[in-house]
């Protein structure tokens, strides 16, 4: 039964191993999987979404062919969708049945049949451009897509091909190989168990035969008139002396063995009288250590009627020769399973042929099993007697004064040196086989995902911190830009600002500046154009970005708050900037730029990799609404501590209030109150607030306010004079009516939430004269 179970387990292991190996071979056979498709509709844009790109794991090798130019942009899928809008476009998907790329029209307006150039947008991470054919290799993660166009007016390229490297996954190969290896071990164990059990059953029979053979004695006459019992089938150690006219080498071993056995039988059955008569001519035979003990009792000298109940004739290789009387006796051999040659006591010419019987066990099979030597083993160290039947020297060996062979020459060893036996190497084959199977199944590609195997598509990493968790939260919007994009945007703005500063013209600022930031620089250029002695605007910061919070949203407008060091040789306080993007097709522009107040502490905010929500969707209300912030602070500037909003704003670090108050006091003291009057007004500008939320629920908000300074004549005889930037911007240095000067203050605040509480903190500001003009007659009141 054990043999049957071993065979069944072996066949099962072979089946599992073969199936598992076939899966591995098939998984490794192909290198790539390719999907192609051809566009038949006429659309100016193609969108390859994220789901199509990550359909298979690995690098995406994309080939685009078409007539004319080819433009490709890579960005977030939400940004691409925002940029495309309602323009006609085709969405490239992968058909699950055929594996080919198919083109599906997206939702669009029938009137928007063209699109602007997609290259140059702040939304893209990478851009490619080619002619006729464009090839690229990308490893895009989840959430990124491709936007393709020709020139924006003609149809988009009409042939797309995407290939992925096969991951070589065979998720069931590991369990199959492991199961096959386990069954193989089980089958080997069952086979070994069956063999050992069979050997244990045959051992008692073998021992019985050995014991029976050892108990069969042979009566040999002793020199002192007694008898000595020797084992049956003992073979004499030297050639028997017989005057038969034949040379010992010519005697047939089989006939010689049969004659010796027959002689032994006659001695045991009825020739006791002849033995007793000739007892004086025999010498006692020295018994080997392993022989049955010799007895001299009378009962032992009686004929043995059943001495050979299981008689078997000796083999031809085991010929025996009787020992002549009076011959010297060789030392007994310790090994009962060995043949020994006899030491010659005298030369062959002496007429004697001394020998000693070297007995063997009766069961020749037992000798073979115990010695580990097969019948056809012809090794030189074997234990077979010489061909002539004599265990002494070889027939070809020299005689006379040539010394006889050593006793160990024909000695049969107990066993071979098993440490060098090659057959032991075969025992390692199952171990090596199972080990190789186990190692081949260790690859993660050969196991299902639930057992730790690799996945067939990009997976979402495990979060290691709260920041990572925020990144990986399903449904969360991605940040507006990453660190690289933000650096490129600011570098482009700095380049435009430097060019505009050098030309002293604001025309080059439009692509990157808007609202208060643009107005400030344009006013500086205008004043400097009127009076070249006036200083130009402060250089745009070019140092390292030390703080950035991009808005995480899929809707526009979007905002980014960034702090950048000034750069240059003279160390100054860093600058805080608020950038805004009105629509997906617009560039990010600097809406506000201020220099941070000394020793300011910025609130904790999410890093650029995560971004933060904008102020248009606050999770909890702030201590003051963003749209009311500018007006409230303007009231504090106008009324000081008497303002109803004074308690909302922290005076600590707010040097702007002091600066404005001191400037107004200085101007008021310099004019002649009888000839002119001075009036001040502070109001919120028309620019909307921009901002991003902080980690504590508060927000960083950029607003701007305007200060209006009106200098008017009290009498018709008065003449009012101005100078510097006011005169440059007004275009005149004196007037009988008066002047109005406009100052724009860009402000950056940290506004806490109601839940957190606290005062509004001014982070930085920029105060610049942005306009001046002469008053009209209807604007002047005399008296």
């Amino acid at each position: 039964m054990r043999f049957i179970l071993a065979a069944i387990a072996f066949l099962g292991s072979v089946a599992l191993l073969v199936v598992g190996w076939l899966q591995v071979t098939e998984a490794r056979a192909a290198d790539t999987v390719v999907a192609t498709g051809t566009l038949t509709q006429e659309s100016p844009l193609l969108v390859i979404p994220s789901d199509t790109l990550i359909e298979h794991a690995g690098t995406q090798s994309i080939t685009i062919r078409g007539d004319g130019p080819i433009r490709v942009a890579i960005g977030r899928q939400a940004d691409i969708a925002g940029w495309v809008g309602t323009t006609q476009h085709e969405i490239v998907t992968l058909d699950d049945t055929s594996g080919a790329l198919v083109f599906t029209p997206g939702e669009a307006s029938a009137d928007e049949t063209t699109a602007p150039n997609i290259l140059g947008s702040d939304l893209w991470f990478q851009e490619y451009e080619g002619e006729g054919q464009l090839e690229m290799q990308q490893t895009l993660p989840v959430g990124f897509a491709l936007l393709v166009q020709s020139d924006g007016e003609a149809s988009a390229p009409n042939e797309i091909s995407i290939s992925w490297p096969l991951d070589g996954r065979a998720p069931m190969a590991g369990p199959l190989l492991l199961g096959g290896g386990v069954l193989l071990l089980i089958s080997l164990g069952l086979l070994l168990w069956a063999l050992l059990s069979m050997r244990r059953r045959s051992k008692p029979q073998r021992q019985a035969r050995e014991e029976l053979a050892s108990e069969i004695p042979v009566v040999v006459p002793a020199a002192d008139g007694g008898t000595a019992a020797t084992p049956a089938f003992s073979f004499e150690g030297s050639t028997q002396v017989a005057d038969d006219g034949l040379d010992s080498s010519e005697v047939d071993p089989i006939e010689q063995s049969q004659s010796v056995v027959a002689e032994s039988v006659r001695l045991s059955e009825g020739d006791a009288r002849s033995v007793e008569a000739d007892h004086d001519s025999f010498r006692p035979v020295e018994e080997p250590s392993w022989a049955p003990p010799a007895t001299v009792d009378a009962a032992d000298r009686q004929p043995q009627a059943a001495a050979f109940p299981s008689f078997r004739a000796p083999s031809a290789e085991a010929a025996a020769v009787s020992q002549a009387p009076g011959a010297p006796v060789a030392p007994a051999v310790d090994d009962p399973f060995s043949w020994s040659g006899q030491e010659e006591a005298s030369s062959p010419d002496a007429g004697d042929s001394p020998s000693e019987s070297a007995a063997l066990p009766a069961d020749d099979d037992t000798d073979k099993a115990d010695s580990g030597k097969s019948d056809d083993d012809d090794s030189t160290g074997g234990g077979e007697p010489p061909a002539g039947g004599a265990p002494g020297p070889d027939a070809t060996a020299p005689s006379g004064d040539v010394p006889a062979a050593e006793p160990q020459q024909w000695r049969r060893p107990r066993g071979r040196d098993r440490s060098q036996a090659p057959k032991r190497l075969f025992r390692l084959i199952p171990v090596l086989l199972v080990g190789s199977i186990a190692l081949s199944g260790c690859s993660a590609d050969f196991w299902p995902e639930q057992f730790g195997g690799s996945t067939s598509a990009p997976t979402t990493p495990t979060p290691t911190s709260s920041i990572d968790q925020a990144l990986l939260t399903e449904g969360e919007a991605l940040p507006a830009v990453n660190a690289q994009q933000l650096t490129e945007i600011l570098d482009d703005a700095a380049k435009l600002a430097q060019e505009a500063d050098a030309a002293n013209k604001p025309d080059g600022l439009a692509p990157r500046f808007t609202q208060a930031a643009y107005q400030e620089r344009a006013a500086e250029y205008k004043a400097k154009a009127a009076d070249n002695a006036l200083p130009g605007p402060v250089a745009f910061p070019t140092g390292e970005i030390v703080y950035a919070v991009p808005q995480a949203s899929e809707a526009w407008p979007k905002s980014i708050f960034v702090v950048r060091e000034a750069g240059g040789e003279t160390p100054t306080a860093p600058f805080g900037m608020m950038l805004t993007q009105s629509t997906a097709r617009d560039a990010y522009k600097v809406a506000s730029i201020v220099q941070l107040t000394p020793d300011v502490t910025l609130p904790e905010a999410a890093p650029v990799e995560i971004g933060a929500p904008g102020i248009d969707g606050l999770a909890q209300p702030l201590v003051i609404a963003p749209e009311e912030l500018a007006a409230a602070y303007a009231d504090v500037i106008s009324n000081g501590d008497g303002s109803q909003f004074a308690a909302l704003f922290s005076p600590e670090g707010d040097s702007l209030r002091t600066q404005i108050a001191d400037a107004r006091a200085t101007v008021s003291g310099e004019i002649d109150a009888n000839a002119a009057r001075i009036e001040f007004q502070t109001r919120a500008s028309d620019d909307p607030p921009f901002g991003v939320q902080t980690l504590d629920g508060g927000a960083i908000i950029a607003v701007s306010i305007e200060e209006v300074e009106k200098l008017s004549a009290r009498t018709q005889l008065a003449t009012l004079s101005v100078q510097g930037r006011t005169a440059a911007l007004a275009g005149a240095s004196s007037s009988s009516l008066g002047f109005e000067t406009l100052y724009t203050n860009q402000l950056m605040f940290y506004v806490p939430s109601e839940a957190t509480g606290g005062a509004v903190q001014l982070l930085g500001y920029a105060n610049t004269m942005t306009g001046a003009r002469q008053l009209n007659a209807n604007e002047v009141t005399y008296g």
Side-chain angles (χ1 to χ4, degrees):
M1 186 63 183
R2 297 186 186 97
F3 286 105
I4 296 176
L5 293 177
I8 294 174
F10 178 75
L11 293 177
S13 69
V14 170
L16 292 178
L17 293 175
V18 169
V19 175
W21 187 251
L22 288 177
Q23 287 195 6
V24 174
T25 304
E26 183 180 357
R28 302 297 190 191
D31 295 329
T32 59
V33 56
V34 182
T36 60
T38 303
L39 174 67
T40 58
Q41 296 87 357
E42 293 186 0
S43 297
L45 298 174
L46 289 179
V47 177
I48 306 178
S50 176
D51 291 342
T52 303
L53 294 173
I54 65 170
E55 181 68 26
H56 300 281
T59 301
Q60 302 106 7
S61 299
I62 305 168
T63 302
I64 303 173
R65 298 182 181 89
D67 298 331
I70 300 175
R71 301 167 184 167
V72 178
I74 299 176
R76 301 178 185 87
Q77 185 160 308
D79 291 342
I80 288 179
W83 195 97
V84 172
T86 57
T87 304
Q88 293 185 3
H89 61 281
E90 299 290 328
I91 301 176
V92 183
T93 57
L94 192 64
D95 185 77
D96 295 335
T97 304
S98 63
L101 296 178
V102 295
F103 299 83
T104 305
E107 295 183 5
S109 172
D111 298 332
E112 298 186 39
T113 58
T114 61
N117 188 351
I118 64 174
L119 303 181
S121 174
D122 293 335
L123 300 176
W124 314 142
F125 286 84
Q126 285 183 303
E127 297 176 348
Y128 296 90
E129 190 173 10
E131 186 75 25
Q133 178 172 317
L134 185 62
E135 297 180 359
M136 67 193 78
Q137 288 188 344
Q138 297 291 328
T139 307
L140 299 178
V142 178
F144 284 77
L146 265 68
L147 179 60
V148 183
Q149 74 169 180
S150 179
D151 59 2
E153 296 183 359
S155 178
N158 59 354
E159 186 175 345
I160 306 293
S161 174
I162 306 175
S163 65
W164 300 266
L166 283 179
D167 54 6
R169 295 186 72 252
M172 293 306 298
L176 289 173
L177 293 176
L178 181 61
V182 171
L183 283 180
L184 180 60
L185 290 177
I186 292 175
S187 67
L188 293 175
L190 290 172
L191 179 61
L192 181 61
W193 187 15
L195 293 175
L196 291 177
S197 179
M198 184 176 65
R199 183 175 181 180
R200 282 196 299 269
R201 288 196 303 268
S202 63
K203 186 176 181 180
Q205 301 176 5
R206 194 166 59 248
Q207 290 178 346
R209 288 197 304 269
E210 292 175 357
E211 291 175 358
L212 182 62
S214 65
E215 292 175 358
I216 300 176
V218 176
V219 180
V220 180
D224 55 358
T227 60
T230 61
F233 315 122
S234 60
F235 302 95
E236 301 300 329
S238 60
T239 308
Q240 183 179 1
V241 179
D243 190 12
D244 54 4
L246 296 175
D247 186 70
S248 61
S249 61
E250 299 176 0
V251 178
D252 185 81
I254 298 177
E255 295 178 0
Q256 189 176 19
S257 301
Q258 294 175 350
S259 64
V260 172
V261 172
E263 183 66 22
S264 300
V265 172
R266 287 194 301 271
L267 288 175
S268 63
E269 291 182 351
D271 293 344
R273 292 190 300 273
S274 62
V275 172
E276 292 176 357
D278 297 335
H279 71 275
D280 293 334
S281 63
F282 289 92
R283 295 178 60 189
V285 179
E286 183 178 27
E287 297 299 330
S289 59
W290 49 267
T295 60
V296 294
D297 296 338
D300 295 335
R301 289 194 294 268
Q302 297 303 321
Q304 304 292 331
F308 304 95
S310 59
F311 170 76
R312 185 175 62 177
S315 64
E317 299 176 359
V321 183
S322 301
Q323 179 180 359
V329 180
V333 180
D334 293 336
D335 191 353
F337 304 103
S338 64
W339 288 89
S340 302
Q342 305 298 322
E343 296 182 0
E344 297 294 337
S346 59
S347 66
D349 297 339
D352 300 340
S353 182
S355 64
E356 182 185 14
S357 297
L360 289 174
D363 192 348
D364 188 53
D365 292 340
T366 304
D367 174 61
K368 293 178 181 179
D370 293 342
S371 65
K373 191 73 174 180
S374 62
D375 290 342
D376 58 350
D377 190 352
D378 58 352
S379 59
T380 58
E384 299 179 6
D394 186 71
T396 60
S399 61
D401 52 353
V402 178
E406 294 295 331
Q408 300 295 329
Q409 179 178 356
W410 302 107
R411 180 181 177 91
R412 184 174 186 175
R414 288 182 181 272
R416 288 176 290 179
D417 186 0
R418 295 185 182 274
S419 64
Q420 303 296 329
K423 66 182 181 181
R424 286 202 169 188
L425 296 177
F426 292 100
R427 301 177 185 176
L428 298 177
I429 292 177
V431 178
L432 296 176
L433 179 60
V434 175
S436 62
I437 293 172
L439 290 176
S440 65
C442 286
S443 174
D445 293 336
F446 300 152
W447 290 90
E449 296 180 18
Q450 56 269 31
F451 294 104
S454 61
T455 58
S456 59
T459 58
T460 302
T462 301
T464 58
S465 66
S466 59
I467 292 178
D468 291 336
Q469 183 62 54
L471 267 176
L472 303 176
T473 302
E474 184 177 0
E476 289 293 330
L478 294 171
V481 294
N482 60 15
Q484 179 182 355
Q485 289 175 304
L486 182 57
T487 302
E488 293 175 354
I489 292 170
L490 293 179
D491 288 346
D492 188 43
K495 179 181 178 182
L496 295 179
Q498 291 171 358
E499 294 175 352
D501 291 349
N504 201 43
K505 294 181 179 180
D507 298 340
L509 297 175
R512 288 297 181 187
F513 290 83
T514 187
Q515 298 184 10
Y518 178 84
Q519 295 168 10
E520 175 188 356
R521 238 171 177 79
E524 298 277 359
Y525 297 154
K526 183 178 178 180
K528 188 173 179 60
D531 185 358
N532 194 41
L534 295 174
V538 178
F540 193 88
T542 57
E544 182 182 357
I545 298 174
V546 295
Y547 189 96
V549 186
Q551 180 177 342
S553 174
E554 295 181 358
W556 281 265
K558 294 181 180 180
S559 301
I560 304 172
F561 175 70
V562 58
V563 176
R564 192 177 199 184
E565 294 180 346
E569 299 179 357
T570 304
T572 59
F575 288 81
M577 292 174 280
M578 191 68 72
L579 288 75
T580 182
Q581 185 184 36
S582 299
T583 67
R585 295 186 180 182
D586 291 330
Y588 277 96
K589 298 180 180 181
V590 181
S592 177
I593 177 170
V594 301
Q595 194 162 22
L596 300 182
T597 58
D599 303 325
V600 66
T601 301
L602 296 173
E604 285 192 44
V608 66
E609 292 83 3
I610 297 178
I615 59 174
D616 52 346
L618 292 168
Q620 52 188 343
L622 305 177
V623 294
I624 184 172
E627 58 273 11
E628 299 175 0
L629 180 62
Y633 190 74
D635 188 76
V636 172
I637 294 295
S638 301
N639 302 310
D641 294 339
S643 172
Q644 60 176 333
F645 304 106
L648 289 176
F649 296 88
S650 172
E652 184 177 355
D654 187 353
S655 59
L656 179 60
R657 280 195 259 178
T658 305
Q659 178 180 331
I660 294 175
D662 293 343
R664 290 180 176 181
T666 301
V667 172
S668 298
E670 291 178 350
I671 65 172
D672 184 359
N674 296 322
R677 67 167 58 93
I678 186 75
E679 297 174 299
F680 302 99
Q681 181 187 5
T682 307
R683 66 193 181 198
S685 68
D686 295 332
D687 297 335
F690 298 100
V692 292
Q693 298 183 36
T694 58
L695 290 179
D696 60 359
I700 299 174
I701 302 176
V703 296
S704 60
I705 61 174
E706 295 176 345
E707 296 179 66
V708 180
E709 184 179 297
K710 182 178 179 182
L711 178 63
S712 60
R714 296 178 71 106
T715 66
Q716 295 180 350
L717 300 176
T719 301
L720 304 180
S721 299
V722 293
Q723 57 184 357
R725 192 178 300 275
T726 304
L729 293 176
S733 57
S734 63
S735 172
S736 61
L737 298 176
F739 296 89
E740 182 182 83
T741 306
L742 178 65
Y743 294 87
T744 299
N745 294 282
Q746 302 177 65
L747 308 173
M748 204 78 69
F749 290 102
Y750 163 64
V751 183
S753 66
E754 283 187 354
T756 304
V760 178
Q761 178 70 43
L762 179 67
L763 302 178
Y765 64 90
N767 180 275
T768 307
M769 182 188 295
T770 56
R773 66 179 181 85
Q774 297 185 53
L775 294 177
N776 298 322
N778 58 354
E779 296 176 311
V780 178
T781 301
Y782 297 107

